[in-house]
Amino acid sequence: HANTAVEKTAGGALSVTPLRPAGVLFQYNGAPLCIDPYGLPDGLALPRADIVLLTHLHPDHFDPACLRKIAGPATVFIVPRGCGQAVSGNVPHAETIVLENGKSHTFKGINIRAVPAYNLMGRDATGAPYHPAGQGNGYLLDFQGFRVYLAGDTEKIRDMEKLGPVDVAF
């Protein structure tokens, strides 16, 4: 894929392919990992993901038709609170792991930590935040010391200062 970059990590090569509008495909030690795949063009061939991370349920991040293209019977989903039932009802897969902010899970040598993603200023017509605190996730992925931050749908929030150093941020 023309937009793929390859990063060196202590555990091997990490390929990084941005997907529109906010998705990313990683491949690490033979394990495809996808975040928020949405609206993939029909001609784009992606591998079946071993793991899929979702940041929240808004339709520009949670696309069941797209998820059915990349998920299979062995795919594991990691989702924020409130997303598990939506995945289970729409996409065949092996397991759904709900991670709340601050919780971690290790998958094939990748440490995945759910971090806050929310709005302070962005509000809908009723005055409610588009993305309330505690409902969505960003993710901090640690590939054997190479750290990738996926902000999710958020604004610049003070919680970002607690992440520590990152090598790549989306």
Side-chain angles (χ1 to χ4, degrees):
H1 190 276
N3 294 328
T4 298
V6 178
E7 302 289 343
K8 293 179 183 177
T9 76
L14 170 66
S15 70
V16 181
T17 305
L19 305 171
R20 66 178 180 94
V24 182
L25 170 67
F26 295 100
Q27 294 196 56
Y28 182 69
N29 291 330
L33 182 151
C34 199
I35 291 86
D36 282 350
Y38 168 80
L40 297 176
D42 287 335
L44 181 61
L46 293 178
R48 289 277 183 199
D50 287 359
I51 190 164
V52 174
L53 280 60
L54 297 177
T55 59
H56 64 296
L57 284 181
H58 286 173
D60 57 338
H61 292 261
F62 177 71
D63 180 351
C66 179
L67 292 171
R68 284 189 291 274
K69 289 180 186 177
I70 65 160
T75 301
V76 173
F77 277 79
I78 293 184
V79 301
R81 177 173 37 111
C83 291
Q85 189 64 31
V87 171
S88 295
N90 284 289
V91 185
H93 63 290
E95 181 181 10
T96 301
I97 298 168
V98 176
L99 280 187
E100 294 193 20
N101 294 171
K103 302 295 183 188
S104 296
H105 179 78
T106 300
F107 184 86
K108 294 190 176 185
I110 305 162
N111 181 271
I112 302 163
R113 182 166 47 118
V115 297
Y118 57 89
N119 289 125
L120 298 169
M121 296 172 40
R123 298 189 177 267
D124 65 20
T126 69
Y130 287 120
H131 306 97
Q135 285 190 3
N137 286 345
Y139 294 98
L140 187 60
L141 309 178
D142 191 324
F143 298 90
Q144 305 287 320
F146 188 88
R147 293 166 39 102
V148 177
Y149 172 48
L150 298 130
D153 252 346
T154 190
E155 296 172 5
K156 185 178 177 187
I157 53 176
R158 291 184 95 39
D159 291 281
M160 291 175 180
E161 297 170 6
K162 302 172 189 171
L163 297 175
V166 297
D167 296 291
V168 176
F170 291 90

